[in-house]
Amino acid sequence: MSPRTAILDGIRRSLKRGALPPCEYDRLNRRLAAPDTAVVPVRSGGTHAEKVERFAAMVVEMQASLDRVASAPAVISAVAAILAAFGLPPSVVAAPALEDAPWAGSGLTVRFGAATAADPVSVTPALCGVAETGTLVLLSGPESPTTLNFLPDLHIAVVAASAIVGSYEEAWARVRARGALSRTVNWITGPSRTADIEQTLLLGAHGPRRLHVILVDDRQPGA
Amino acid sequence: MHPRSRAFRANAAKALVDPGLQAALGKLKAGFRIKRAAAVARLPEFEALRDAGKAIKDHTLAHLDAYLETFETRAIAAGGQVHWARDATEARAAVLAICRAAGARTVTKGKSMVAEEIGLNEHLEANGLTPVETDLGEYIIQLRHEGPSHIVVPAIHLDRHAVADAFRAAHRERAPERDLSEPRAMLDEAREELRRHFLAADVGITGANFLIAETGSTAIVTNEGNGDLTQTLPRVHIVVAGIEKVVPTLNDAAVLIRLLARSATGQEVSVYTTFSTGPRRREDLDGPEEFHVVLLDNGRSAMLGGPFQDMLRCIRCAACINHCPVYGTVGGHAYGWVYPGPMGAVLTPAQVGLAEGRELVEASTLCGRCEQVCPMRIPLPAMLRHWRERAFERHLVPTRQHWGLMVWGFAARRPWLYHTAMRTAAWGLAWLARGSGGLRTLPGIGGWTASRDLPAPAGRTFRDQWTQRLRR
């Protein structure tokens, strides 16, 4: 008997039943096809403007830094400004998804692609931001390699205000709307940390020492 | 890892007189307990989430075979490979075979209690591979050749000096006189050392906090980012996970994620929650070329349908451990197996046998704090009582204790006899202790009176006094 058969048989024996009938499988598959939302914290609700404000507040509470800019072109100057503020050389590796941004004239040297251990700063887009905990949702793909999120010391993530949602479930709805899952979906909430030595909290364990979020206010006035 | 749970009493006695360990355990109270309480207080929906989380797991466990099949089908559809292992031996063999097929030499590992459970590192080392733990706590205990003493913070039993000593012994190419007095310096050193391993590894092994049937994904929750570097940089990513980790949907995982970090460390959410589905896609610029999931049973399926099924809801947050007065006094190593504290006392007999784990099920006052804080509402004290009953039925308890319980049980079922015996004992003990207020020694209970006096009873039982009051 294969281990697979033995384990499945063992489960059924313990549950004192045989394999489920097809109608039961159908019922379970319907549950999978229409994921429900059990309990959503009140703090994830409110108007969209309230969600954006909560997201911004939570990002800072989770020890990331935050910049709010009024338009997409302003993102690049915000990147240049933060590098200067941290005393870093004006050079970044960026997600290919950001190739169309107005890098020219910013004074920044930019390479598009995956990160290497030699890259101190990365810039990536986030699919969305979750107000509930100030969490960024990033998808892997040729346009946004995963190594950018973890190898550099400073990770700069760009998220549009229109892409702020309240709850994790709303974020999953956005991810599902894009079709099959990418290899990796990263939820990122603040910079890397550890408390493994004497329960002392230290930032910058193995991932980025700093997480900087640029929130782009792309909403129409009055929206 | 080999179980050493039979030695619990001796281990505990040693732990009690270990000042370093006692200092480390003292920090638990000021740390995780307060942080958890604060995080729970901030989320009004916490109790409702506990109910929802319990319902999700109960539903999944009742249909575990079907959800595992669906998980497998969809993981394969996404390009992954699924391996089933009945026990530790099969799981180790599956991981080794994948490493061999990949021509691997160096393996990085994220923190995985299942990997500890199956003794993976020893097996890989015995077969010529070099596994490197990348979670800071796991890295420290690997350097010290010891097991974890806690499932979330595995090196919690060590102070900074012990960590510095381990680093000096291991990182010999560094200047011996370097300053390692602060945790920051040690973390920076570990970061540099482990970067090398992350980049060189052929295979990365992680555990899983959740397996998601909806998408065939595995999910890990970390704060350091080591799990992500472990699973992104090497050519092959292997996930080892217990079969009870499956949940139906990504939304179900969201409910459990809201409970997990708050219960564990008091964080709103862990820094990195990562969902992995299959290997890298054709156009991807990074990520592993192979994605394997090893599903481990190791006694879990046998826990279904009986008094221990509820234990399979466990999401390994360690809240029960952090709040346990016994764990807080003796630490994790005393338990002699991977899982310490209340959840460990329930799991260990199921995994290594009741004969080995019997002492653990006795090592509880049944105060119930573990059940109070368990986000999955697992009735841990009730399960400890179940194990005690089984140990009694199988004559695993010492003969004197066995007969003592028999006699007590005989009397307890006959109220008149029980009351007469109690009345006699209350009078007799009070007479023996007359004037002194307590008994220094008493034949038959030397174990108790060796370290404390037995307070003298009032001379008359509560029932007698109560009856007299009613008559007045």
Side-chain angles (χ1 to χ4, degrees):
Chain A
M1 193 190 287
S2 74
R4 180 184 189 278
T5 312
I7 292 171
L8 292 174
D9 283 355
I11 291 169
R12 289 165 188 151
R13 209 166 36 246
S14 289
L15 292 173
K16 298 165 191 76
R17 62 165 172 76
L20 293 171
C23 62
E24 271 290 286
Y25 276 94
D26 289 347
R27 193 174 66 91
L28 298 180
N29 282 331
R30 279 197 299 276
R31 190 186 189 286
L32 293 180
D36 63 346
T37 296
V39 180
V40 171
V42 170
R43 67 156 83 153
S44 64
T47 64
H48 185 253
E50 285 166 349
K51 290 178 186 178
V52 172
E53 293 313 310
R54 172 156 291 278
F55 172 79
M58 289 304 288
V59 162
V60 175
E61 191 180 316
M62 298 299 159
Q63 291 165 291
S65 49
L66 178 81
D67 252 341
R68 299 182 72 159
V69 300
S71 66
V75 168
I76 305 304
S77 44
V79 170
I82 196 73
L83 293 187
F86 286 147
L88 292 164
S91 167
V92 300
V93 55
L98 298 173
E99 260 181 286
D100 294 337
W103 298 94
S106 65
L108 292 171
T109 311
V110 57
R111 177 177 69 79
F112 300 98
T116 69
D119 289 310
V121 183
S122 63
V123 187
T124 72
L127 173 74
C128 57
V130 186
E132 175 171 357
T133 46
T135 298
L136 297 162
V137 177
L138 296 94
L139 304 182
S140 69
E143 296 291 294
S144 191
T146 305
T147 42
L148 293 171
N149 308 339
F150 294 97
L151 277 173
D153 274 7
L154 169 61
H155 175 204
I156 301 173
V158 183
V159 63
S162 58
I164 302 302
V165 296
S167 67
Y168 300 139
E169 285 84 350
E170 289 172 65
W172 281 134
R174 290 206 174 205
V175 172
R176 287 192 192 96
R178 298 171 56 92
L181 279 191
S182 53
R183 147 73 190 167
T184 310
V185 179
N186 290 120
W187 289 10
I188 299 181
T189 315
S192 162
R193 69 195 63 191
T194 185
D196 271 345
I197 303 176
E198 294 186 350
Q199 296 187 58
T200 310
L201 181 70
L202 298 170
L203 297 185
H206 295 298
R209 296 170 194 267
R210 291 187 181 121
L211 173 67
H212 186 71
V213 178
I214 300 179
L215 179 57
V216 187
D217 200 345
D218 58 343
R219 293 166 296 176
Q220 298 302 310
Chain B
M1 185 167 172
H2 300 286
R4 291 174 291 100
S5 302
R6 283 178 205 268
F8 177 77
R9 277 164 198 263
N11 296 341
K14 262 183 262 168
L16 288 173
V17 294
D18 178 341
L21 175 66
Q22 292 302 322
L25 292 170
K27 289 191 181 181
L28 263 184
K29 299 185 186 85
F32 290 148
R33 291 185 199 174
I34 290 172
K35 286 178 187 149
R36 175 196 170 275
V40 169
R42 276 190 73 179
L43 194 71
E45 297 82 3
F46 193 78
E47 292 304 312
L49 282 163
R50 287 174 77 182
D51 293 332
K54 175 181 183 296
I56 288 166
K57 279 285 195 177
D58 284 343
H59 166 80
T60 314
L61 292 171
H63 306 91
L64 187 59
D65 50 340
Y67 280 122
L68 284 170
E69 287 171 327
T70 305
F71 168 80
E72 179 190 41
T73 305
R74 298 189 183 187
I76 291 170
Q81 298 177 53
V82 179
H83 314 259
W84 301 70
R86 274 172 288 206
D87 53 27
T89 309
E90 287 185 354
R92 286 193 298 256
V95 173
L96 181 63
I98 299 163
C99 292
R100 287 241 165 100
R105 295 199 58 78
T106 314
V107 174
T108 43
K109 281 183 67 220
K111 183 160 74 68
S112 157
M113 288 303 119
V114 164
E116 298 279 356
E117 184 183 322
I118 63 175
L120 186 57
N121 284 356
E122 296 91 320
H123 189 66
L124 295 179
E125 278 167 12
N127 286 280
L129 286 134
T130 310
V132 180
E133 294 289 348
T134 61
D135 170 82
L136 180 59
E138 284 280 324
Y139 179 65
I140 292 165
I141 62 169
Q142 187 185 29
L143 294 182
R144 290 171 50 91
H145 307 288
E146 61 186 353
S149 67
H150 190 285
I151 61 173
V152 171
V153 274
I156 195 168
H157 56 289
L158 299 174
D159 64 14
R160 65 182 70 187
H161 308 295
V163 179
D165 291 345
F167 279 18
R168 283 186 204 285
H171 308 151
R172 291 185 178 279
E173 67 289 1
R174 291 174 179 262
E177 68 278 7
R178 68 193 184 280
D179 182 10
L180 287 179
S181 55
E182 289 302 315
R184 178 86 251 169
M186 289 182 255
L187 174 60
D188 288 343
E189 183 167 314
R191 182 180 166 104
E192 280 179 35
E193 290 287 333
L194 285 165
R195 270 298 158 107
R196 215 157 39 80
H197 294 295
F198 283 128
L199 297 165
D202 307 300
V203 171
I205 301 175
T206 67
N209 293 91
F210 309 104
L211 306 171
I212 293 152
E214 177 190 353
T215 50
S217 312
T218 66
I220 56 169
V221 168
T222 74
N223 281 317
E224 297 185 4
N226 64 308
D228 291 281
L229 291 170
T230 295
Q231 67 162 59
T232 305
L233 296 172
R235 295 196 313 279
V236 178
H237 175 202
I238 306 175
V239 176
V240 289
I243 53 172
E244 84 285 13
K245 290 289 177 199
V246 70
V247 294
T249 66
L250 294 164
N251 287 25
D252 294 322
V255 170
L256 300 177
I257 287 165
R258 288 192 183 102
L259 293 164
L260 179 55
R262 290 184 174 96
S263 299
T265 56
Q267 289 171 278
E268 297 280 319
V269 67
S270 304
V271 176
Y272 302 113
T273 304
T274 300
F275 301 84
S276 307
T277 315
R280 69 195 285 176
R281 309 292 187 257
R282 194 199 304 259
E283 309 292 322
D284 280 355
L285 304 180
D286 54 23
E289 289 153 25
E290 290 177 33
F291 176 63
H292 298 265
V293 183
V294 178
L295 297 173
L296 174 71
D297 185 338
N298 207 28
R300 289 163 172 82
S301 62
M303 293 169 78
L304 287 166
F308 303 109
Q309 171 166 328
D310 292 341
M311 191 63 222
L312 298 174
R313 289 202 298 268
C314 177
I315 55 173
R316 304 292 191 263
C317 70
C320 64
I321 296 172
N322 296 341
H323 290 76
C324 177
V326 177
Y327 178 92
T329 309
V330 301
H333 283 157
Y335 289 78
W337 183 238
V338 178
Y339 305 100
M343 57 83 76
V346 172
L347 273 180
T348 303
Q351 292 186 348
V352 304
L354 187 53
E356 178 71 43
R358 190 193 66 83
E359 293 278 1
L360 307 188
V361 305
E362 304 280 352
S364 169
T365 63
L366 303 179
C367 74
R369 221 198 280 177
C370 48
E371 185 175 356
Q372 266 174 13
V373 296
C374 175
M376 305 308 294
R377 299 199 194 281
I378 298 171
L380 290 153
M383 287 190 283
L384 290 173
R385 280 197 295 271
H386 273 295
W387 277 128
R388 289 179 186 186
E389 275 172 35
R390 286 194 186 185
F392 178 78
E393 286 161 8
R394 293 186 206 166
H395 292 268
L396 291 170
V397 297
T399 315
R400 223 169 67 181
Q401 194 182 336
H402 185 88
W403 284 106
L405 283 168
M406 291 283 279
V407 169
W408 184 86
F410 182 84
R413 283 194 299 270
R414 291 161 181 81
W416 61 268
L417 176 61
Y418 190 82
H419 186 53
T420 307
M422 290 304 286
R423 188 186 284 159
T424 312
W427 175 82
L429 290 173
W431 182 79
L432 280 175
R434 55 192 179 278
S436 66
L439 291 158
R440 306 286 289 279
T441 58
L442 195 67
I445 60 161
W448 171 280
T449 52
S451 56
R452 75 214 112 168
D453 291 351
L454 180 71
R460 294 172 62 216
T461 64
F462 174 78
R463 281 168 55 109
D464 279 345
Q465 295 181 49
W466 184 255
T467 315
Q468 192 177 31
R469 251 179 93 142
L470 289 180
R471 277 198 203 117
R472 261 185 218 155

